[in-house]
Amino acid sequence: MSKVLFWFRRDLRLASNQALQDAVNNGASEALFFVCEKQWQIHKTSEIQIDLLKRRIDYLGGKLAELGIKLHVVDAVDFKQLPLKFNEFITLHGFTHVYANREYEVNELNRDAQCSEFDAELRLYDGDVLCQPGSVVTKSGEMFKVFTPFKKAWLSEFSQRTFPLGKYLHTSFTPTKWQSPDILKSDGQSEKWPVDDNTLSQVVELFLESKLNDYSEYRDIPSIKGTSGLSPYLALGFICATDLIARIQQRIPDILLRTKTSAFVYINELLWREFYRHLMYVFPKLCKGKNFNEKYDAVIWLDDETAFTAWCEGNTGYPIVDAAMRQLNQTGWMHNRLRMIVASFLTKHLLIDWRKGEAYFMNKLIDGDLAANNGGWQWAASTGCDAQPYFRIFNPITQSEKFDPDGTFIRKYVHELEWVPAKYIHFPHDYIRAVGKQCYILPIVEHKEARARALDAFKV
């Protein structure tokens, strides 16, 4: 007689989770989540994201109990021990089938391969993507290496398809009780980010109702809340991209054909997320710290720990860079436009290896996501899959003038510049010197010199 279990990973939702619903339809009244603290440390998962994850698991435990499903939370330490813990668990409880959503990183794929060798059948779904990785390919059957052709091919396949709005989990089981285990104890770091479904639904609806139609106009301005704010929930699977597109289609049925609209600009961001997931699956070297474009293996990065520390701490002497890094350090989140600016500054102005920035981001971000983080950093460093050549180097001063024109965002995080007029705040050093009030660190590099140095390094 079969006995079915559902295994939660980064798919922590009760709606739009086909693997979970299928497991329940086949009799699953128990679910499993592995806590892997050591593995999370190896993967440089931030403390704030771990706290958010634990709060969500605790919440899910209670909601599942109301639905008559018992959630087991097991300490597996790391992926070396997890397969053994998995086998012990399914053997002890007599499970014959385990349903789960697939994860595409190398370590996770190896983990699943080991778990597939045991007696219980492991059934994996593609629940965190819009379509199966590796299914959107060129005419010759290869993975696209540039985003725009990938997007065109994806739209050619899906632009006239209506994505289904996921249903909330339904069961016929008798409700039970949930007792939160000590291993899920929260330290409160992520308390500003809600984890309950009612509030999350309101957050999504607020974005769709009040921000979506103006998304393209305001998304690059860090001083206002012009982005969706949904990235932490996408990263841990509280919500999914398929459901977001379905909700947008309810408002704009032909949105996938209206590629020039503001609303589609947000869809485009979801497609970038999809693109990076497909890339990581097809090119597993991206999980191993390798350049996507191997010709840039010849770039000689500078091993300047002083400069790297200044960048990490927000003490570079470039206000927009420093404000962005201080936002990250203080809140665990950074505006997307600023991520591009600081990544370009580290890899081009300071000529420091993108891998160091990638790791630092993962160790701080509440929305840390290996595929998107790796893709963004390699894009900024010009080592990734990008049609734009190496000479794209963001000027932090002009970027600041364009996207924070009155210095509102800078003043919020670089308090020593609160008194500087907007005309001078983007690079205030001459003004500060003139008024005799030296209160801000001098720039650690000169823009033109740093740009020339980067161009020379990448010409190799």
Side-chain angles (χ1 to χ4, degrees):
M1 183 176 179
S2 64
K3 186 177 181 182
V4 180
L5 173 74
F6 182 78
W7 178 0
F8 279 103
R9 284 99 175 272
R10 289 198 169 205
D11 53 351
L12 305 179
R13 59 186 180 274
L14 301 181
S16 302
N17 196 334
Q18 192 62 51
L20 174 59
Q21 187 64 67
D22 285 358
V24 169
N25 291 345
N26 284 281
S29 61
E30 296 180 67
L32 171 67
F33 182 81
F34 285 113
V35 172
C36 298
E37 295 278 3
K38 184 177 179 181
Q39 192 67 41
W40 295 338
Q41 291 175 9
I42 293 171
H43 285 169
K44 295 182 171 57
T45 308
S46 70
E47 292 181 2
I48 192 172
Q49 187 179 73
I50 292 173
D51 187 66
L52 183 68
L53 182 151
K54 288 182 176 180
R55 289 174 54 226
R56 177 64 175 182
I57 289 293
D58 192 18
Y59 168 80
L60 284 183
K63 299 303 291 184
L64 288 167
E66 293 175 6
L67 294 167
I69 298 175
K70 181 179 181 180
L71 176 63
H72 300 269
V73 180
V74 177
D75 184 4
V77 184
D78 59 21
F79 284 179
K80 289 182 179 179
Q81 297 188 46
L82 189 149
L84 298 176
K85 295 279 188 177
F86 175 78
N87 190 37
E88 289 176 3
F89 185 84
I90 62 174
T91 301
L92 176 64
H93 295 278
F95 291 108
T96 59
H97 296 80
V98 180
Y99 287 65
N101 284 300
R102 187 176 283 108
E103 295 179 305
Y104 305 102
E105 298 86 354
V106 166
N107 291 157
E108 283 74 3
L109 291 172
N110 290 338
R111 172 204 63 195
D112 287 350
Q114 293 180 60
C115 291
S116 296
E117 296 176 356
F118 301 124
D119 291 338
E121 179 185 342
L122 183 59
R123 296 185 178 180
L124 297 174
Y125 288 61
D126 292 304
D128 192 40
V129 285
L130 299 172
C131 61
Q132 184 179 9
S135 63
V136 179
V137 294
T138 65
K139 291 181 179 180
S140 60
E142 297 179 350
M143 173 65 195
F144 288 97
K145 297 180 180 180
V146 177
F147 172 69
T148 300
F150 171 86
K151 179 180 73 172
K152 290 180 179 178
W154 188 91
L155 287 171
S156 177
E157 175 71 22
F158 295 102
S159 61
Q160 299 191 49
R161 180 177 302 186
T162 299
F163 283 79
L165 187 63
K167 297 180 179 180
Y168 202 80
L169 179 65
H170 172 74
T171 75
S172 57
F173 305 134
T174 302
T176 183
K177 293 184 178 180
W178 164 251
Q179 184 172 353
S180 178
D182 290 340
I183 199 170
L184 294 182
K185 186 176 181 180
S186 166
D187 60 14
Q189 285 192 57
S190 66
E191 62 183 8
K192 292 184 178 179
W193 298 85
V195 296
D196 66 283
D197 288 336
N198 288 337
T199 306
L200 289 179
S201 180
Q202 293 172 16
V203 170
V204 172
E205 287 301 312
L206 179 63
F207 167 66
L208 297 179
E209 287 290 340
S210 64
K211 297 182 182 180
L212 183 64
N213 290 331
D214 298 319
Y215 182 75
S216 62
E217 182 177 356
Y218 297 120
R219 69 181 183 128
D220 281 324
I221 304 175
S223 61
I224 63 174
K225 294 183 178 180
T227 63
S228 71
L230 302 178
S231 54
Y233 309 127
L234 282 166
L236 293 176
F238 297 10
I239 58 177
C240 64
T242 303
D243 204 48
L244 288 173
I245 292 179
R247 292 193 186 204
I248 295 172
Q249 285 182 320
Q250 286 186 324
R251 293 166 168 77
I252 313 171
D254 60 346
I255 183 59
L256 298 181
L257 294 172
R258 300 175 62 182
T259 59
K260 302 299 183 181
T261 63
S262 179
F264 186 83
V265 174
Y266 180 69
I267 299 284
N268 200 63
E269 293 301 305
L270 296 178
L271 293 180
W272 269 107
R273 179 179 184 273
E274 184 81 356
F275 178 55
Y276 287 142
R277 269 164 170 64
H278 286 228
L279 277 178
M280 185 152 284
Y281 177 75
V282 176
F283 300 101
K285 69 177 183 178
L286 296 177
C287 296
K288 303 176 181 180
K290 302 295 184 181
N291 289 326
F292 181 82
N293 193 332
E294 295 177 357
K295 73 178 181 181
Y296 291 114
D297 290 349
V299 173
I300 299 176
W301 303 103
L302 298 182
D303 186 20
D304 189 338
E305 281 301 317
T306 300
F308 180 66
T309 299
W311 177 85
C312 292
E313 295 177 350
N315 288 316
T316 68
Y318 286 83
I320 196 66
V321 174
D322 294 343
M325 295 305 297
R326 294 181 194 187
Q327 179 188 42
L328 173 63
N329 293 332
Q330 293 173 29
T331 71
W333 187 82
M334 185 192 292
H335 189 279
N336 185 61
R337 167 58 57 173
L338 302 180
R339 297 186 196 203
M340 292 188 284
I341 294 172
V342 302
S344 177
F345 189 87
L346 183 73
T347 58
K348 302 295 177 63
H349 282 73
L350 302 183
L351 208 59
I352 290 176
D353 196 330
W354 62 266
R355 299 165 186 85
K356 297 189 70 171
E358 178 196 34
Y360 190 80
F361 265 32
M362 284 299 293
N363 200 41
K364 291 290 183 179
L365 285 170
I366 193 170
D367 61 358
D369 175 287
L370 179 60
N373 191 46
N374 179 276
W377 272 97
Q378 293 223 45
W379 181 90
S382 299
T383 61
C385 47
D386 184 17
Q388 181 71 264
Y390 63 87
F391 51 74
R392 179 190 56 227
I393 300 174
F394 282 15
N395 182 328
I397 303 171
T398 57
Q399 288 283 310
S400 180
E401 292 170 342
K402 182 175 182 180
F403 298 113
D404 190 30
D406 59 3
T408 299
F409 179 79
I410 291 172
R411 290 187 184 88
K412 183 175 181 179
Y413 289 100
V414 186
H415 299 301
E416 58 266 43
L417 297 181
E418 289 176 339
W419 60 279
V420 176
K423 180 179 179 180
Y424 305 104
I425 198 167
H426 307 287
F427 198 68
H429 303 285
D430 290 342
Y431 178 79
I432 290 174
R433 189 180 303 110
V435 299
K437 191 176 180 181
Q438 187 61 48
C439 60
Y440 182 51
I441 190 170
L442 293 174
I444 60 175
V445 290
E446 197 278 325
H447 169 65
K448 291 183 178 180
E449 293 177 359
R451 185 178 189 279
R453 181 178 66 178
L455 291 175
D456 287 342
F458 275 79
K459 283 178 181 177
V460 174

